[in-house]
C-alpha cells in the first residue's frame, strides 16, 4: 500500500495570500503546501481522502488519472471544495462513490443541488453517496475503519484506518475509544497546525502526545500552517520517527 500526500497545508494553504513571513516567501518547494488531501493505493483500489479546492491542481501535478472512491473526513471547504472537479472520474454507472457521514452528505446536497435529482445539470458530477457511521465498512475492495475525532467540542469528524495506515486530520481532541482503534498502527498521519495552541486543531505538542500514545513505527504530520516555521528548520526539532509530510511525498506501508 502506498500513500501519496497531495496536500499538507492548512485551510489557507502555504504560502498564505498576502503574507510576508519567511515561510510564505521561502523558495524551498517543501514550504509550498496545498490544502490537505491524500491518495492511497492499496494495490487493488485508489482511494482519495478529502477533495479540497486544490484537487484539480493536485491531479494535474501528480498525473493521477484514476480514483476509485472518496472518503470524506468532514465538510469544511478545505476538504470538500474540489468536489465539482471530480467530473472526469464520474464515469461509473450510478456516479462516483463517496463515503461520508450523514451530516457531510446533507452539506453536499445543500451546496451542490445541481448534482442531484431533477436539478441535475448536464455534465455536472454524479455521486453515489454511501452514508457511514462508526462501524467499519467496505468500499468496493477495501476494509475501512472510521476513526471518530473531535474537531471542536461540537464537531465530531472522521479519520480513517486502512490496514496498518491511520490517517487523521483536523483533530483537536482524541477520544479514548479512538485511541484504542489506533493500536497497532504502523504509519500514523496526524494533523499538527503550529506550535501555539489552537481552538480546533492540535498543535505540535498535542500531536506528539498522541503519537507517543499510539507508538507507530513512523508518524507524519499534515495540515501544517505557515506558523510552524520553515520545513527545513521544523523537521530538525522533531523526535526520531516523526517527520513533517510534504506535498508529493509518497510513503510505502
Ligand atoms: Zn482543514
Ligand atoms: Zn506566512
Ligand atoms: Zn476543518
Amino acid at each position: 500500500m502506498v500513500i501519496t500526500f497531495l496536500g499538507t497545508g492548512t485551510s489557507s494553504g502555504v504560502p498564505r495570500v498576502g503574507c510576508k513571513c519567511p515561510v510564505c516567501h521561502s523558495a524551498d518547494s517543501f514550504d509550498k503546501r496545498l490544502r490537505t488531501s491524500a491518495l492511497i493505493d492499496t494495490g487493488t483500489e485508489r482511494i482519495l481522502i478529502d477533495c479540497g479546492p486544490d484537487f484539480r491542481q493536485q491531479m494535474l501535478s501528480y498525473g493521477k488519472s484514476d480514483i476509485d472512491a472518496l472518503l470524506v473526513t468532514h465538510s469544511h471547504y478545505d476538504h470538500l471544495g474540489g468536489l465539482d472537479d471530480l467530473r472526469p472520474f464520474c464515469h461509473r454507472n450510478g456516479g462516483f462513490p463517496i463515503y461520508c457521514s450523514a451530516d457531510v452528505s446533507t452539506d453536499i446536497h445543500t451546496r451542490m443541488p445541481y448534482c442531484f435529482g431533477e436539478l441535475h445539470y448536464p455534465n455536472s458530477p454524479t455521486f453515489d453517496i454511501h452514508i457511514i457511521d462508526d462501524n467499519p465498512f467496505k468500499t468496493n475492495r477495501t476494509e475501512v475503519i472510521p476513526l471518530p475525532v473531535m474537531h471542536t467540542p461540537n464537531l465530531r469528524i472522521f479519520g480513517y484506518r486502512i490496514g496498518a495506515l491511520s490517517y487523521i486530520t483536523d483533530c483537536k481532541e482524541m477520544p479514548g475509544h479512538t485511541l484504542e482503534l489506533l493500536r497497532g498502527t504502523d504509519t500514523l498521519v496526524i494533523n499538527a497546525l503550529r506550535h501555539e495552541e489552537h481552538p480546533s486543531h492540535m498543535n505540535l505538542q498535542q500531536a506528539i502526545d498522541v503519537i507517543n500514545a499510539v507508538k507507530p513505527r513512523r508518524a507524519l504530520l499534515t495540515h501544517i500552517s505557515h506558523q510552524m516555521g520553515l520545513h527545513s528548520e521544523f523537521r530538525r526539532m522533531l523526535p526520531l520517527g516523526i517527520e513533517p509530510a510534504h506535498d508529493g511525498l509518497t510513503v510505502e506501508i
Side-chain angles (χ1 to χ4, degrees), residues 84-188:
D84 196 277
D85 289 321
L86 275 173
R87 268 176 286 169
F89 305 97
C90 290
H91 44 74
R92 290 164 187 73
N93 288 337
F96 186 81
I98 297 179
Y99 296 81
C100 63
S101 66
D103 289 353
V104 170
S105 173
T106 301
D107 289 343
I108 294 172
H109 281 80
T110 305
R111 292 178 202 173
M112 304 175 76
Y114 61 91
C115 296
F116 299 96
E118 287 175 8
L119 295 174
H120 191 269
Y121 179 78
N123 299 321
S124 56
T126 50
F127 302 131
D128 177 19
I129 297 184
H130 302 255
I131 294 185
I132 57 159
D133 54 21
D134 290 6
N135 294 307
F137 62 93
K138 199 170 176 204
T139 61
N140 198 18
R141 295 199 177 94
T142 310
E143 300 277 354
V144 183
I145 300 172
L147 303 169
V149 297
M150 302 309 291
H151 194 347
T152 71
N154 303 318
L155 180 57
R156 187 176 186 271
I157 68 168
F158 283 134
Y160 294 103
R161 178 169 181 169
I162 298 174
L165 168 69
S166 295
Y167 183 98
I168 290 168
T169 187
D170 292 50
C171 171
K172 168 68 180 179
E173 295 289 341
M174 176 69 66
H177 66 275
T178 300
L179 209 48
E180 291 305 314
L181 295 172
L182 288 168
R183 300 274 175 225
T185 291
D186 173 86
T187 302
L188 174 64

Side-chain angles (χ1 to χ4, degrees), residues 29-40:
S29 63
F30 289 171
D31 288 317
K32 313 227 177 287
R33 301 183 187 277
L34 298 177
R35 268 60 73 89
T36 290
S37 172
L39 188 64
I40 297 165

Side-chain angles (χ1 to χ4, degrees), residues 11 74 78-79 170 201 223:
S11 56
H74 65 304
D78 56 322
H79 298 264
D170 292 50
H201 293 272
H223 211 286

Side-chain angles (χ1 to χ4, degrees), residues 19 21 24 226:
C19 184
C21 85
C24 292
H226 63 153

